[in-house]
Each structure stands twice: as structure tokens, then as C-alpha cells.
Coordinates of all heavy atoms in Angstrom, one line a residue:
M1 N 44.5 -86.7 -28.6 CA 43.9 -85.4 -28.1 C 44.9 -84.3 -28.2 O 46.1 -84.4 -27.7 CB 43.6 -85.7 -26.6 CG 42.9 -84.5 -26.0 SD 42.2 -85.0 -24.3 CE 43.4 -84.2 -23.3
S2 N 44.5 -83.2 -28.8 CA 45.5 -82.1 -28.8 C 45.1 -81.1 -27.8 O 44.0 -80.7 -27.5 CB 45.4 -81.4 -30.2 OG 44.4 -80.5 -30.3
I3 N 46.2 -80.6 -27.1 CA 46.0 -79.7 -26.0 C 46.7 -78.4 -26.4 O 47.8 -78.4 -26.8 CB 46.6 -80.3 -24.7 CG1 45.9 -81.5 -24.3 CG2 46.6 -79.2 -23.6 CD1 46.6 -82.3 -23.2
R4 N 46.0 -77.3 -26.2 CA 46.5 -76.1 -26.6 C 46.7 -75.2 -25.3 O 45.8 -75.0 -24.5 CB 45.6 -75.3 -27.5 CG 46.2 -74.2 -28.3 CD 45.5 -74.0 -29.7 NE 44.0 -73.9 -29.4 CZ 43.4 -72.7 -29.4 NH1 44.0 -71.6 -29.6 NH2 42.1 -72.7 -29.1
L5 N 47.9 -74.8 -25.1 CA 48.2 -73.9 -24.0 C 47.9 -72.5 -24.3 O 48.0 -72.0 -25.4 CB 49.7 -74.0 -23.6 CG 50.1 -75.4 -23.1 CD1 51.6 -75.4 -22.8 CD2 49.4 -75.8 -21.8
S6 N 47.4 -71.7 -23.3 CA 47.2 -70.3 -23.5 C 48.4 -69.6 -23.9 O 49.5 -70.0 -23.5 CB 46.6 -69.7 -22.2 OG 45.5 -70.4 -21.8
E7 N 48.3 -68.5 -24.7 CA 49.5 -67.7 -25.0 C 49.7 -66.8 -23.8 O 48.8 -66.0 -23.4 CB 49.2 -66.9 -26.3 CG 49.4 -67.7 -27.5 CD 49.5 -66.9 -28.8 OE1 49.3 -65.7 -28.7 OE2 49.8 -67.5 -29.8
V8 N 50.9 -66.9 -23.3 CA 51.3 -66.0 -22.1 C 52.5 -65.2 -22.5 O 53.5 -65.8 -23.1 CB 51.6 -66.9 -20.9 CG1 52.0 -66.0 -19.7 CG2 50.3 -67.7 -20.5
L9 N 52.4 -63.9 -22.3 CA 53.6 -63.1 -22.5 C 54.5 -63.0 -21.3 O 53.9 -62.8 -20.2 CB 53.2 -61.7 -22.9 CG 52.6 -61.5 -24.3 CD1 52.2 -60.0 -24.5 CD2 53.5 -61.9 -25.4
C10 N 55.7 -63.2 -21.4 CA 56.6 -62.9 -20.3 C 56.6 -61.4 -20.0 O 56.8 -60.6 -20.9 CB 58.0 -63.4 -20.7 SG 59.3 -63.0 -19.5
P11 N 56.4 -61.1 -18.7 CA 56.2 -59.6 -18.4 C 57.6 -58.9 -18.5 O 57.5 -57.6 -18.6 CB 55.7 -59.6 -16.9 CG 56.1 -61.0 -16.4 CD 56.1 -61.9 -17.6
T12 N 58.7 -59.6 -18.6 CA 60.0 -58.9 -18.6 C 60.4 -58.7 -20.1 O 60.8 -57.6 -20.4 CB 61.0 -59.7 -17.9 OG1 60.5 -60.0 -16.6 CG2 62.3 -59.0 -17.8
C13 N 60.4 -59.7 -20.9 CA 60.9 -59.5 -22.2 C 59.7 -59.4 -23.3 O 60.0 -59.2 -24.5 CB 61.8 -60.7 -22.6 SG 60.9 -62.3 -22.7
N14 N 58.5 -59.6 -22.8 CA 57.3 -59.4 -23.7 C 57.3 -60.4 -24.9 O 56.7 -60.1 -25.9 CB 57.2 -58.0 -24.2 CG 56.6 -57.1 -23.2 OD1 55.6 -57.4 -22.5 ND2 57.2 -55.9 -23.0
R15 N 57.9 -61.5 -24.8 CA 57.9 -62.5 -25.8 C 56.9 -63.6 -25.3 O 56.7 -63.8 -24.2 CB 59.2 -63.2 -26.1 CG 60.2 -62.3 -26.9 CD 61.5 -63.0 -27.2 NE 62.3 -63.2 -26.0 CZ 62.7 -64.4 -25.6 NH1 62.4 -65.5 -26.3 NH2 63.4 -64.5 -24.6
I16 N 56.2 -64.3 -26.3 CA 55.3 -65.3 -26.0 C 56.1 -66.5 -25.4 O 57.2 -66.9 -26.0 CB 54.5 -65.8 -27.2 CG1 53.5 -64.6 -27.6 CG2 53.8 -67.1 -27.0 CD1 52.8 -64.8 -28.9
I17 N 55.7 -67.1 -24.3 CA 56.4 -68.2 -23.7 C 56.0 -69.5 -24.5 O 54.9 -69.8 -24.6 CB 56.0 -68.3 -22.2 CG1 56.5 -67.0 -21.5 CG2 56.6 -69.5 -21.6 CD1 56.1 -66.9 -20.0
K18 N 57.1 -70.2 -24.9 CA 56.8 -71.4 -25.6 C 56.8 -72.6 -24.6 O 57.3 -72.5 -23.5 CB 58.0 -71.7 -26.6 CG 58.2 -70.6 -27.6 CD 59.2 -71.0 -28.7 CE 59.4 -70.0 -29.7 NZ 60.5 -69.0 -29.3
E19 N 56.1 -73.6 -25.0 CA 55.8 -74.7 -24.0 C 57.1 -75.4 -23.6 O 57.1 -76.1 -22.6 CB 54.7 -75.7 -24.5 CG 55.1 -76.4 -25.8 CD 53.9 -77.4 -26.2 OE1 52.8 -76.9 -26.2 OE2 54.2 -78.6 -26.4
S20 N 58.1 -75.4 -24.4 CA 59.4 -76.1 -24.1 C 60.3 -75.2 -23.3 O 61.4 -75.6 -22.9 CB 60.1 -76.5 -25.3 OG 60.3 -75.4 -26.2
E21 N 60.0 -73.9 -23.0 CA 60.9 -73.0 -22.3 C 60.7 -73.1 -20.8 O 59.6 -73.4 -20.3 CB 60.6 -71.5 -22.8 CG 61.0 -71.3 -24.2 CD 60.8 -69.8 -24.6 OE1 59.7 -69.3 -24.4 OE2 61.7 -69.2 -25.2
Y22 N 61.8 -73.0 -20.1 CA 61.8 -73.1 -18.7 C 61.3 -71.9 -18.1 O 61.7 -70.8 -18.4 CB 63.3 -73.3 -18.2 CG 63.3 -74.0 -16.9 CD1 63.2 -75.4 -16.8 CD2 63.4 -73.3 -15.7 CE1 63.2 -76.1 -15.5 CE2 63.4 -74.0 -14.5 CZ 63.3 -75.3 -14.4 OH 63.3 -76.0 -13.2
V23 N 60.3 -72.0 -17.2 CA 59.6 -70.9 -16.6 C 59.5 -71.0 -15.1 O 59.7 -72.1 -14.5 CB 58.1 -70.8 -17.2 CG1 58.1 -70.5 -18.7 CG2 57.3 -72.0 -16.9
L24 N 59.1 -69.9 -14.5 CA 58.9 -69.8 -13.1 C 57.5 -69.2 -12.9 O 57.1 -68.3 -13.6 CB 59.9 -69.0 -12.4 CG 61.4 -69.4 -12.6 CD1 62.3 -68.4 -12.0 CD2 61.6 -70.8 -11.9
L25 N 56.7 -69.8 -11.9 CA 55.4 -69.3 -11.7 C 55.4 -68.7 -10.2 O 55.8 -69.4 -9.3 CB 54.4 -70.4 -11.8 CG 52.9 -70.0 -11.6 CD1 52.4 -69.1 -12.7 CD2 52.0 -71.3 -11.5
D26 N 55.0 -67.5 -10.1 CA 55.0 -66.9 -8.7 C 53.6 -67.0 -8.1 O 52.6 -67.4 -8.7 CB 55.6 -65.5 -8.7 CG 54.7 -64.4 -9.2 OD1 53.5 -64.7 -9.5 OD2 55.2 -63.3 -9.4
F27 N 53.4 -66.5 -6.9 CA 52.2 -66.7 -6.1 C 51.0 -65.9 -6.6 O 49.9 -66.2 -6.2 CB 52.4 -66.4 -4.6 CG 52.6 -64.9 -4.3 CD1 51.5 -64.2 -3.7 CD2 53.7 -64.2 -4.8 CE1 51.6 -62.9 -3.4 CE2 53.8 -62.8 -4.5 CZ 52.7 -62.2 -3.8
V28 N 51.2 -64.9 -7.5 CA 50.1 -64.3 -8.1 C 49.9 -64.8 -9.5 O 49.2 -64.2 -10.3 CB 50.2 -62.7 -8.1 CG1 50.1 -62.1 -6.7 CG2 51.5 -62.3 -8.8
Y29 N 50.4 -66.0 -9.8 CA 50.3 -66.7 -11.1 C 50.8 -65.9 -12.2 O 50.2 -65.9 -13.3 CB 48.8 -67.1 -11.3 CG 48.3 -68.0 -10.2 CD1 47.2 -67.6 -9.3 CD2 48.8 -69.3 -10.0 CE1 46.8 -68.4 -8.3 CE2 48.4 -70.1 -8.9 CZ 47.4 -69.6 -8.1 OH 46.9 -70.4 -7.1
T30 N 51.9 -65.2 -12.0 CA 52.6 -64.6 -13.1 C 53.7 -65.6 -13.6 O 54.5 -66.1 -12.8 CB 53.3 -63.3 -12.7 OG1 52.3 -62.4 -12.2 CG2 54.0 -62.7 -13.8
L31 N 53.7 -65.8 -14.9 CA 54.6 -66.7 -15.5 C 55.7 -65.9 -16.2 O 55.4 -65.0 -16.9 CB 53.9 -67.6 -16.5 CG 54.4 -68.9 -17.0 CD1 54.4 -69.9 -15.8 CD2 53.5 -69.4 -18.1
S32 N 57.0 -66.3 -15.8 CA 58.1 -65.6 -16.5 C 59.1 -66.6 -16.9 O 59.2 -67.7 -16.4 CB 58.9 -64.7 -15.5 OG 58.0 -63.9 -14.8
H33 N 59.9 -66.2 -17.9 CA 61.1 -67.1 -18.2 C 62.0 -67.2 -17.0 O 62.1 -66.2 -16.3 CB 61.9 -66.5 -19.4 CG 61.2 -66.5 -20.7 ND1 60.9 -65.3 -21.4 CD2 60.7 -67.5 -21.5 CE1 60.2 -65.7 -22.5 NE2 60.1 -67.0 -22.6
Q34 N 62.6 -68.3 -16.8 CA 63.5 -68.4 -15.7 C 64.6 -67.3 -15.8 O 64.9 -66.7 -14.7 CB 64.2 -69.8 -15.8 CG 65.1 -70.0 -14.6 CD 65.9 -71.3 -14.7 OE1 66.3 -71.7 -15.8 NE2 66.2 -71.9 -13.6
E35 N 65.1 -67.1 -16.9 CA 66.2 -66.1 -17.0 C 65.7 -64.6 -16.9 O 66.5 -63.7 -16.7 CB 67.0 -66.3 -18.3 CG 66.3 -66.0 -19.6 CD 65.5 -67.2 -20.2 OE1 65.2 -68.1 -19.4 OE2 65.3 -67.2 -21.4
C36 N 64.4 -64.4 -17.0 CA 63.9 -63.1 -16.9 C 63.4 -62.7 -15.5 O 63.2 -61.6 -15.2 CB 62.7 -62.9 -17.9 SG 63.1 -63.0 -19.6
Y37 N 63.2 -63.8 -14.7 CA 62.6 -63.5 -13.3 C 63.7 -62.8 -12.5 O 64.8 -63.3 -12.3 CB 62.2 -64.9 -12.7 CG 61.4 -64.7 -11.5 CD1 60.1 -64.3 -11.5 CD2 62.0 -65.0 -10.2 CE1 59.3 -64.1 -10.4 CE2 61.3 -64.8 -9.1 CZ 59.9 -64.4 -9.1 OH 59.2 -64.2 -8.0
D38 N 63.3 -61.7 -11.9 CA 64.3 -61.0 -11.1 C 63.7 -60.7 -9.7 O 64.2 -59.7 -9.0 CB 64.7 -59.7 -11.8 CG 63.5 -58.8 -12.0 OD1 62.3 -59.1 -11.7 OD2 63.7 -57.7 -12.5
S39 N 62.7 -61.4 -9.2 CA 62.2 -61.1 -7.9 C 62.6 -62.2 -6.9 O 63.5 -63.1 -7.2 CB 60.7 -61.0 -8.0 OG 60.2 -60.5 -6.8
Y40 N 62.0 -62.3 -5.7 CA 62.4 -63.2 -4.7 C 62.0 -64.7 -5.0 O 60.8 -64.9 -5.4 CB 61.8 -62.8 -3.4 CG 62.2 -61.5 -2.9 CD1 61.3 -60.4 -3.0 CD2 63.5 -61.2 -2.5 CE1 61.7 -59.1 -2.6 CE2 63.9 -60.0 -2.1 CZ 63.0 -58.9 -2.2 OH 63.4 -57.6 -1.8
E41 N 62.9 -65.6 -4.9 CA 62.6 -67.0 -5.2 C 61.6 -67.5 -4.2 O 60.9 -68.5 -4.4 CB 63.9 -67.8 -5.1 CG 64.7 -67.5 -6.4 CD 65.8 -68.5 -6.6 OE1 65.9 -69.5 -5.9 OE2 66.7 -68.2 -7.5
D42 N 61.4 -66.9 -3.0 CA 60.5 -67.3 -2.0 C 59.0 -67.2 -2.5 O 58.1 -67.8 -2.0 CB 60.5 -66.4 -0.7 CG 61.8 -66.6 0.0 OD1 62.6 -67.4 -0.4 OD2 62.0 -65.9 1.0
L43 N 58.8 -66.4 -3.5 CA 57.5 -66.1 -4.0 C 57.0 -67.1 -5.0 O 55.9 -67.1 -5.5 CB 57.4 -64.7 -4.6 CG 57.8 -63.6 -3.7 CD1 57.7 -62.2 -4.5 CD2 56.9 -63.5 -2.5
L44 N 57.9 -68.0 -5.4 CA 57.6 -68.9 -6.5 C 56.8 -70.1 -6.0 O 57.0 -70.6 -4.9 CB 58.9 -69.5 -7.1 CG 59.8 -68.4 -7.8 CD1 61.1 -69.0 -8.3 CD2 59.0 -67.7 -8.9
I45 N 55.9 -70.5 -6.8 CA 55.1 -71.7 -6.5 C 55.3 -72.9 -7.4 O 54.9 -74.0 -7.1 CB 53.6 -71.4 -6.3 CG1 53.0 -70.8 -7.6 CG2 53.3 -70.5 -5.2 CD1 51.5 -70.7 -7.6
A46 N 55.9 -72.7 -8.6 CA 56.2 -73.7 -9.5 C 57.3 -73.4 -10.4 O 57.6 -72.2 -10.7 CB 55.0 -74.1 -10.3
A47 N 58.0 -74.4 -10.9 CA 59.1 -74.2 -11.9 C 59.2 -75.4 -12.8 O 58.8 -76.5 -12.4 CB 60.5 -74.0 -11.1
G48 N 59.6 -75.2 -14.0 CA 59.7 -76.2 -15.0 C 59.5 -75.7 -16.4 O 59.4 -74.5 -16.5
T49 N 59.4 -76.6 -17.3 CA 59.0 -76.0 -18.6 C 57.5 -75.6 -18.5 O 56.8 -76.0 -17.7 CB 59.1 -77.1 -19.8 OG1 58.2 -78.2 -19.5 CG2 60.5 -77.6 -19.9
Y50 N 57.1 -74.7 -19.5 CA 55.7 -74.2 -19.4 C 54.8 -75.4 -19.5 O 53.8 -75.5 -18.8 CB 55.5 -73.3 -20.6 CG 54.1 -72.7 -20.7 CD1 53.3 -72.5 -19.6 CD2 53.7 -72.2 -21.9 CE1 52.0 -72.0 -19.7 CE2 52.4 -71.7 -22.1 CZ 51.6 -71.6 -20.9 OH 50.3 -71.0 -21.1
K51 N 55.1 -76.4 -20.3 CA 54.3 -77.6 -20.4 C 54.1 -78.3 -19.1 O 53.0 -78.7 -18.8 CB 54.9 -78.5 -21.5 CG 54.0 -79.5 -22.0 CD 54.7 -80.3 -23.1 CE 53.7 -81.3 -23.8 NZ 54.3 -81.9 -25.0
E52 N 55.2 -78.4 -18.4 CA 55.1 -79.1 -17.1 C 54.3 -78.3 -16.1 O 53.5 -78.9 -15.3 CB 56.5 -79.3 -16.5 CG 57.3 -80.4 -17.2 CD 58.8 -80.3 -16.9 OE1 59.3 -79.4 -16.2 OE2 59.5 -81.3 -17.3
V53 N 54.5 -77.0 -16.0 CA 53.8 -76.2 -15.1 C 52.3 -76.2 -15.4 O 51.5 -76.2 -14.5 CB 54.4 -74.7 -15.1 CG1 53.5 -73.8 -14.3 CG2 55.8 -74.7 -14.5
A54 N 52.0 -76.2 -16.7 CA 50.6 -76.1 -17.1 C 49.9 -77.4 -16.7 O 48.6 -77.4 -16.4 CB 50.5 -75.9 -18.6
K55 N 50.6 -78.5 -16.5 CA 50.0 -79.8 -16.1 C 49.5 -79.6 -14.6 O 48.5 -80.2 -14.3 CB 51.0 -80.9 -16.2 CG 50.8 -81.7 -17.4 CD 51.8 -82.9 -17.4 CE 52.6 -83.0 -18.6 NZ 53.7 -83.9 -18.5
E56 N 50.2 -78.9 -13.8 CA 49.8 -78.7 -12.4 C 48.8 -77.6 -12.2 O 48.1 -77.6 -11.2 CB 51.1 -78.3 -11.6 CG 52.1 -79.4 -11.4 CD 53.3 -78.9 -10.6 OE1 53.1 -78.4 -9.5 OE2 54.4 -79.0 -11.2
F57 N 48.7 -76.7 -13.2 CA 47.8 -75.5 -13.1 C 47.0 -75.5 -14.3 O 47.3 -74.8 -15.3 CB 48.6 -74.2 -12.9 CG 49.4 -74.3 -11.6 CD1 50.7 -74.7 -11.6 CD2 48.9 -73.9 -10.4 CE1 51.5 -74.8 -10.5 CE2 49.6 -73.9 -9.2 CZ 50.9 -74.4 -9.3
P58 N 45.9 -76.2 -14.3 CA 45.1 -76.4 -15.6 C 44.5 -75.2 -16.2 O 44.0 -75.2 -17.3 CB 44.0 -77.4 -15.2 CG 44.4 -77.9 -13.8 CD 45.4 -77.0 -13.2
F59 N 44.5 -74.1 -15.5 CA 43.9 -72.9 -16.1 C 44.8 -72.4 -17.2 O 44.4 -71.5 -18.0 CB 43.7 -71.8 -15.1 CG 44.9 -71.5 -14.2 CD1 45.9 -70.7 -14.6 CD2 44.9 -72.0 -12.9 CE1 47.0 -70.4 -13.8 CE2 46.0 -71.7 -12.1 CZ 47.1 -70.9 -12.6
F60 N 46.0 -72.9 -17.4 CA 46.8 -72.6 -18.6 C 46.3 -73.2 -19.9 O 46.7 -72.9 -21.0 CB 48.2 -72.9 -18.4 CG 48.9 -72.0 -17.4 CD1 49.5 -72.5 -16.3 CD2 49.0 -70.6 -17.7 CE1 50.0 -71.6 -15.4 CE2 49.6 -69.8 -16.8 CZ 50.1 -70.3 -15.6
Y61 N 45.4 -74.2 -19.7 CA 44.8 -74.9 -20.9 C 43.6 -74.1 -21.4 O 42.6 -74.0 -20.8 CB 44.4 -76.3 -20.6 CG 45.6 -77.2 -20.3 CD1 45.9 -77.6 -19.0 CD2 46.4 -77.6 -21.4 CE1 46.9 -78.4 -18.8 CE2 47.5 -78.4 -21.1 CZ 47.8 -78.8 -19.8 OH 48.8 -79.6 -19.6
E62 N 43.8 -73.5 -22.6 CA 42.8 -72.6 -23.2 C 41.4 -73.3 -23.3 O 40.4 -72.8 -23.0 CB 43.3 -72.2 -24.5 CG 43.0 -70.7 -24.8 CD 43.8 -70.3 -26.0 OE1 43.8 -71.1 -27.1 OE2 44.4 -69.3 -26.0
D63 N 41.5 -74.6 -23.7 CA 40.3 -75.3 -24.1 C 39.3 -75.5 -22.9 O 38.1 -75.6 -23.1 CB 40.6 -76.6 -24.7 CG 41.3 -76.4 -26.0 OD1 41.3 -75.3 -26.6 OD2 41.9 -77.4 -26.5
L64 N 39.9 -75.5 -21.7 CA 39.1 -75.7 -20.5 C 38.2 -74.5 -20.2 O 37.3 -74.5 -19.4 CB 39.9 -76.0 -19.3 CG 40.7 -77.4 -19.4 CD1 41.5 -77.6 -18.1 CD2 39.7 -78.5 -19.6
L65 N 38.6 -73.3 -20.7 CA 37.9 -72.1 -20.5 C 36.7 -71.9 -21.3 O 35.8 -71.1 -21.1 CB 38.8 -70.9 -20.6 CG 40.1 -70.9 -19.8 CD1 41.0 -69.7 -20.2 CD2 39.8 -70.9 -18.3
N66 N 36.6 -72.7 -22.4 CA 35.5 -72.5 -23.4 C 34.3 -73.4 -23.0 O 34.4 -74.4 -22.3 CB 36.0 -72.9 -24.8 CG 37.2 -71.9 -25.2 OD1 37.2 -70.8 -24.8 ND2 38.1 -72.4 -26.0
Ligands
LIG1 ZN1 61.2 -63.5 -20.7

């Protein structure tokens, strides 16, 4: 089964986040690279690689939206 993650741009550096990159997810479901995130850590709800975070928050899987 092939799973395709949605393309998400990091709001800070405007690069597409790759599934192996370490990311942080905040309470309004904004995904940023760990090194780009500059807000309060209290606001975070998930951390890990994009692939790991997407497992917990299935709306990142494009195919489920179709
Ligand atoms: Zn970034």
C-alpha cells in the first residue's frame, strides 16, 4: 500500500516539508521544521518526523481526502 502525505510548506522557510524531516505541530495544526519553529513550546501538540506526526493526525494523508 502506498501512502502519500500532503505537501506542506514550512511557514518560516517556505520549503516543502519532507517526510523524514523533524517537525513540530502546534495547536492550530501548523507544521514547521523543528529548527524553524520560533514560538512557545507550550503550544505544541506533536513532534517527530513528518511521517511519524502524520500517523497520529491522519488528515495529512492526501488520499483520505479524496
Ligand atoms: Zn522550515
